[in-house]
Amino acid sequence: MQYKKSDFYYDLPEELIAQTPAQPRDGSRLLTYNRSTGEVKHEIFRDVINYLKAGDVLVINNTKVLPARLYAHTENGGAVEVLLLKRLDKDAWEVLVKPGKKCTVGKRLYISEELSLTVEEITESGERIVKFYYDGVFEEILERLGTMPLPPYIKTKLNDKNRYQTVYAKVQGSAAAPTAGLHFTPELLERIKAKGVKIAEILLHVGLGTFRPVKENVITDHKMHSEYYEVSADAAEIINAAKRGGGRVIAVGTTSVRTLESVADDNGLVKPQKGNTQIFIYPPYRFKCVDALITNFHLPESTLIMLVAALTGREEILNLYKTAVEEKYRFFSFGDAMMII
């Protein structure tokens, strides 16, 4: 069957879009859905531990969000917003600029006395390839001058930028957070490990393509964005041991799903590797590695809701989202969570 974009639409009242993160992290709500029985439960996120058992592996994405939004000005003083998307070389980046008309090839933009850039190239889709000029360590300068690139639907200022990072974020490179992981606390992770559940850390740098709307009517015509991933030998060993031992592979977030399904063979085993993935998962995809998923509630008609629908079935996910709306769950990046088992 050829699905259309509109097949993944649902109505969402604007007041259900979460503007601030839950306090504490694991105090957000959790909707659990059992695919075998159809049972739905409404709980608190920390109850997720009740659905994990010894021999399972929890797969988390340890990417760290860059403070990727920079405020620049032209020589004439015109304001330009620069959003870092992807590092191409030591000083070369792919970026989004706003407004674009000021950012022609060769244009110099100034962010501070210690940081400026020139526009080297304009891509087919309108992004800019830029080269940065600075004195010192780029990452340290970015930490001082950059702000968190919160999604456009979050209008409230974030007081603590660490709340848009997971507690296990390590490797800087994302333009957006892997938000399903925001619910975990160090204490909850320790309790999960004590239960005999292994934790495997993989990496996928989240690009802003995550938020790009599907424009094509027939979803198979959509061109998926590319994202960099790494699966280490240690992570592969933990995941494969769980698979061989009859444990479940439980992915935290759609980014973990995309990584695992990009590297898994037909038996669900993974090899250590790194590269770029453009995998687009939608019904009726057959999952090779992932057995269960912890995820947030995603935008209507997005590639993310299509991925989750591939695990539950399209009608099932729309029914679950309808229930979540009726129960007044909080949606999107700072919203509540769902576990599909």
Side-chain angles (χ1 to χ4, degrees):
M1 175 179 178
Q2 275 210 324
Y3 282 112
K4 293 181 178 174
K5 178 175 73 167
S6 56
D7 291 327
F8 298 90
Y9 178 80
Y10 67 92
D11 272 322
L12 179 70
E14 196 175 332
E15 65 267 19
L16 295 184
I17 300 172
Q19 295 297 313
T20 54
Q23 187 62 35
R25 286 175 184 261
D26 60 358
S28 50
R29 294 169 72 193
L30 177 72
L31 184 154
T32 56
Y33 172 63
N34 187 312
R35 289 179 290 157
S36 303
T37 65
E39 185 180 22
V40 175
K41 286 186 178 176
H42 305 289
E43 299 174 272
I44 301 298
F45 187 80
R46 64 183 72 95
D47 297 326
V48 79
I49 195 166
N50 300 330
Y51 297 93
L52 306 173
K53 55 183 189 288
D56 288 342
V57 58
L58 196 66
V59 182
I60 60 178
N61 179 7
N62 66 11
T63 189
K64 192 171 187 181
V65 186
L66 291 158
R69 183 170 275 126
L70 293 162
Y71 297 98
H73 59 86
T74 63
E75 282 176 3
N76 302 326
V80 179
E81 190 177 302
V82 179
L83 192 62
L84 307 184
L85 297 181
K86 190 186 289 184
R87 192 174 210 153
L88 305 174
D89 207 339
K90 182 173 177 285
D91 300 324
W93 285 77
E94 181 184 343
V95 304
L96 272 177
V97 292
K98 197 164 71 174
K101 63 179 185 293
K102 293 180 182 173
C103 301
T104 50
V105 172
K107 177 70 76 174
R108 187 85 176 231
L109 300 177
Y110 302 88
I111 294 145
S112 73
E113 285 183 8
E114 59 185 334
L115 185 64
S116 64
L117 63 90
T118 53
V119 178
E120 306 284 303
E121 190 185 323
I122 301 175
T123 69
E124 276 181 33
S125 50
E127 285 87 8
R128 269 51 173 184
I129 308 300
V130 303
K131 184 179 180 185
F132 279 99
Y133 299 89
Y134 53 91
D135 290 318
V137 179
F138 182 78
E139 288 77 6
E140 290 175 4
I141 296 168
L142 188 62
E143 200 62 45
R144 282 200 307 278
L145 301 178
T147 61
M148 278 298 178
L150 292 179
Y153 49 74
I154 293 177
K155 317 288 186 197
T156 305
K157 187 175 182 294
L158 183 65
N159 293 323
D160 177 5
K161 64 183 180 184
N162 286 326
R163 291 308 311 271
Y164 195 58
Q165 301 279 19
T166 62
V167 295
Y168 45 75
K170 285 181 187 167
V171 186
Q172 214 170 47
S174 274
T179 54
L182 295 178
H183 305 281
F184 286 93
T185 64
E187 296 77 18
L188 180 57
L189 288 167
E190 286 307 315
R191 286 173 56 217
I192 287 168
K193 285 185 207 167
K195 204 172 178 181
V197 177
K198 300 285 187 192
I199 295 182
E201 296 188 21
I202 59 174
L203 174 74
L204 181 130
H205 285 324
V206 188
L208 273 218
T210 294
F211 301 112
R212 277 220 179 97
V214 176
K215 290 180 179 162
E216 291 76 10
N217 190 31
V218 177
I219 66 169
T220 47
D221 294 340
H222 176 69
K223 187 176 183 292
M224 199 67 177
H225 56 286
S226 172
E227 292 173 320
Y228 176 79
Y229 70 83
E230 288 181 11
V231 177
S232 68
D234 284 350
E237 195 177 316
I238 294 168
I239 293 160
N240 292 340
K243 274 287 180 199
R244 291 189 178 110
R248 295 170 304 164
V249 174
I250 299 155
V252 176
T254 55
T255 61
S256 296
V257 174
R258 293 185 70 228
T259 307
L260 290 168
E261 294 298 312
S262 295
V263 302
D265 64 20
D266 288 338
N267 299 313
L269 301 176
V270 301
K271 285 183 185 156
Q273 55 187 283
K274 56 181 75 170
N276 292 287
T277 180
Q278 285 181 279
I279 191 169
F280 182 15
I281 297 174
Y282 52 85
Y285 180 85
R286 186 183 72 81
F287 286 84
K288 298 176 287 189
C289 183
V290 173
D291 300 302
L293 171 64
I294 296 166
T295 186
N296 278 20
F297 294 94
H298 304 292
L299 277 77
E301 300 183 336
S302 64
T303 60
L304 304 179
I305 193 172
M306 292 169 192
L307 182 152
V308 182
L311 194 60
T312 61
R314 186 192 74 90
E315 285 186 21
E316 287 80 0
I317 200 63
L318 291 178
N319 285 333
L320 289 167
Y321 271 53
K322 186 170 180 283
T323 300
V325 169
E326 288 166 357
E327 296 288 332
K328 296 199 169 4
Y329 275 74
R330 300 164 81 238
F331 279 65
F332 306 165
S333 293
F334 284 145
D336 297 315
M338 172 191 282
M339 184 173 190
I340 299 158
I341 53 177

